[in-house]
Amino acid sequence: MRGSTNVKYPSSDGNDAANANGIIKHNRKCRDVVFLVLFIAFWIAMIVNSSFGFNQGNPLRLNFGLDYKGNVCGGKHKDFNLRELELKYYVNPNQVYQSGIKNSGVQLSNARTICLMDCPIPSEDSLNWVCDYPEGDIRLSLDDWIDMNYDYFADLTPELRNTSLQLQGPCYPVIFPSVNVYWSCQFIDQPSNVSLTHWKQMNGVTINDDMVIDKSIHNAINARSSVLKRYVADVGKSWPVLIVCGGLLPLLLSMLWLLTIRHFVAAMPWVTVFLFNGLIISVTMFYYLKAGWIGNDAISPIIGEHDSYYRVSARELHHIRAAAFLMTCVMIVAVLSSIAIVRRILMATSVLKVAAKVIGEVDALIIFPVIPYTILTIFYMFWLSAALNLFSSGQIVSNDCNTNCCAYDLKAKRVNCNDCCGYSIHYTPHIGASILFHLFGCYWATQFIIACSSTVIAGSVASYYWARGESSATIPFRPVFSSMKLLMRYSLGSVAIGSLVVSFVESTRFILEAIRRRLKVADIMPESWIKRMMFYTSRFCLKCIELTVKCVNRNAYIMIAITGKGFFRASEMATDLIISNILRIGRVNVIGDVILFLGKLCVSLASALFAFLMLDTHKYKSSHNKITSPLLPVLACWGLGYVVATLFFTVVEMSIDTIILSYCQDSEEHQGTAHYAPSLLIETFDEQNELSRIGQ
């Protein structure tokens, strides 16, 4: 093999047993130690970064707003326990109206808000009030205040009644009906005539009743930052769905697939293609249901009972409709592609039989993925908890406003015009950097665990191959654990740099794609056709580089397991072998990879389908646990299902790649005849040309 003359493989010298044993167990030394140190430093940084989130964050901020004291609705605070009071209500309708007028200088974040249990509605025969939290001379407990429907106006002194009629508190009239939209009471621009009449009879100040009062709150609820927070909160609230549909279900389905392919390998490619088509159509139909294109089960931003004639638009509905359209396109392409490869399935069956034989000989391979699965499960639980806190981290600060606002302070017993601005959460730039680092850390850690698993499997399968596929003494005792020992002792640095390369390339492509979308939205894309061609060519090249790196990495892990070389040297050796044997192994390997990829998609699609079903239950439609949109939880279950399936399907994938790579090396060492190859593998390659002609 070019570039690897210093690595000795078994040769036909009659001492096969000794050489075969030496393939995996020759003298090694630690490789790529610098990158192992870098990976350890990365983990220390991840812990420090997460501790910042746990210290500063509060996931309640993702859903619930702040009141006029800066307290988070739905939380327990020093002065008041607001756990049952989750809804943010704007008590002063004139402030809401002014915030919706252009160039008024009034922002909705400075409007006075309070936390309530439900959205108040105007009375049919009198005037209802919402009063501030009871404190100072108001001798009421918070529970009594709730039982009185937040109304103690009748107990106020004449002075406080007069300030209330000036919309300065402590009590404010309920003139507009409101509805619970994502835990904020959104006004409906249809004021109660009865309440307005009573208000005017009491000589209250003029209340503006223009439709601006409706749009002002609606725009704040539909802001991009608010939508992002709700999406992140959805993932946190649906943690039971993530455990069941993103963890346990793909675990069971993946193990079932491995057991099935071991005993019914001839039927599995056909079953996989059939299930894939059925599952992707089913998931697409669920997107149609939630988008409102089928039936009456579209997602709604309104929480709780409401007038069926009153509708509120939300970005979440637009997003899920876009996802439904995208899934339609993916479904059409996927179904047509799966039909196109049906005639090639015979070739995939042949190569899968070889992997099935390996799994049958090395029994521990089926159970081994449970170890990386357990490690990843623990990591994801820690990572998700830290992510929720990082996304909600920040400092609650009082706004600096120049508006003319005054409100009665029950503790100070006077009208305060100096400290009546609202509160907001201040995010510093380093919080965004912390979130990006946390996201990158998740991807690198995932790739690292998958790479470790692949290397262990490759070492185990290589032991099987170079022992002529026999359960003899030449195979190391407990080959899986022997391969794990070699990895932990010598090659963790090589695996770290391999997983880092994949993570870096993938992250770079993601960032460039995000920049492209921003340029497209800003309408500053290249105008000339030459620049456009260069732009799209660069995107295509980056995607090709990403796929190439992933392929090289996978084969590099095989050479690391076999030879103990460093990552870059192992990549060179693997690439050299593949190039020199591309015509022999390419077609067999590609078709096998396609079937395995469809198998992973089957597991992940089943996870997404069951996630839809779980999220459609009453628990996730109620007020406290309501999921604003199933989009992100379903995508999370889809992604987790794919990761879990990858851990288990890697057993088959790496078995095929390791045997084929070993076969190529074996053939080169023995003048074109594989000396150590199992008979089933030789038959597979001998029949390749014939199967190709049949497929044509």
Side-chain angles (χ1 to χ4, degrees), residues 12-131:
S12 51
D13 59 0
N15 193 17
D16 295 337
N19 282 330
N21 193 44
I23 290 287
I24 308 299
K25 284 193 161 184
H26 63 287
N27 294 330
R28 300 189 178 193
K29 63 179 181 179
C30 294
R31 304 285 184 176
D32 300 318
V33 178
V34 174
F35 296 104
L36 178 59
V37 174
L38 176 64
F39 187 71
I40 295 173
F42 152 76
W43 267 104
I44 295 174
M46 278 284 289
I47 294 173
V48 173
N49 189 54
S50 300
S51 64
F52 165 78
F54 286 119
N55 184 47
Q56 298 290 330
N58 181 2
L60 290 176
R61 300 174 185 171
L62 298 173
N63 268 337
F64 308 131
L66 305 176
D67 64 9
Y68 66 91
K69 289 180 173 291
N71 298 323
V72 180
C73 296
K76 186 176 181 180
H77 304 279
K78 180 179 179 181
D79 296 329
F80 301 103
N81 185 358
L82 306 178
R83 286 186 175 177
E84 295 181 351
L85 308 175
E86 299 177 342
L87 308 186
K88 181 173 70 173
Y89 178 71
Y90 295 88
V91 294
N92 191 333
N94 278 357
Q95 289 180 336
V96 177
Y97 171 80
Q98 292 170 2
S99 68
I101 299 176
K102 293 182 178 180
N103 302 322
S104 66
V106 179
Q107 296 183 355
L108 186 64
S109 59
N110 291 319
R112 193 174 182 84
T113 57
I114 194 171
C115 301
L116 303 178
M117 188 178 295
D118 46 24
C119 293
I121 57 176
S123 174
E124 296 180 355
D125 54 8
S126 62
L127 179 61
N128 289 341
W129 300 80
V130 171
C131 303

Side-chain angles (χ1 to χ4, degrees), residues 512-520 525 535-536 539:
L512 292 179
E513 183 67 17
I515 294 174
R516 183 192 69 84
R517 291 176 180 174
R518 284 186 174 272
L519 292 176
K520 188 174 182 180
M525 292 287 287
F535 180 79
Y536 289 109
R539 288 180 58 203

Side-chain angles (χ1 to χ4, degrees), residues 499-565:
S499 56
L500 176 61
V501 170
V502 173
S503 303
F504 180 77
V505 172
E506 183 74 9
S507 300
T508 302
R509 191 178 71 87
F510 177 80
I511 293 173
L512 292 179
E513 183 67 17
I515 294 174
R516 183 192 69 84
R517 291 176 180 174
R518 284 186 174 272
L519 292 176
K520 188 174 182 180
V521 171
D523 198 22
I524 55 176
M525 292 287 287
E527 296 181 358
S528 66
W529 68 270
I530 297 178
K531 292 181 178 179
R532 284 182 176 271
M533 184 181 67
M534 294 176 61
F535 180 79
Y536 289 109
T537 301
S538 63
R539 288 180 58 203
F540 175 76
C541 292
L542 191 60
K543 182 63 178 178
C544 292
I545 291 173
E546 175 196 344
L547 296 176
T548 303
V549 167
K550 287 184 177 181
C551 178
V552 171
N553 274 19
R554 195 171 67 187
N555 291 287
Y557 298 145
I558 296 173
M559 301 310 295
I560 289 172
I562 294 176
T563 67
K565 295 294 182 180

Side-chain angles (χ1 to χ4, degrees), residues 177-237:
S178 56
V179 63
N180 181 1
V181 178
Y182 294 142
W183 300 278
S184 288
C185 295
Q186 178 173 321
F187 288 147
I188 302 174
D189 59 338
Q190 298 174 357
S192 169
N193 292 327
V194 174
S195 298
L196 269 179
T197 301
H198 281 83
W199 175 256
K200 292 177 181 178
Q201 290 175 352
M202 299 173 70
N203 296 322
V205 297
T206 302
I207 292 180
N208 300 296
D209 57 356
D210 192 86
M211 64 182 300
V212 173
I213 200 171
D214 182 356
K215 294 183 177 180
S216 183
I217 299 177
H218 180 263
N219 291 337
I221 294 174
N222 264 350
R224 287 187 175 90
S225 59
S226 299
V227 175
L228 177 60
K229 289 179 181 179
R230 290 197 294 269
Y231 275 142
V232 176
D234 286 344
V235 177
K237 286 186 290 186

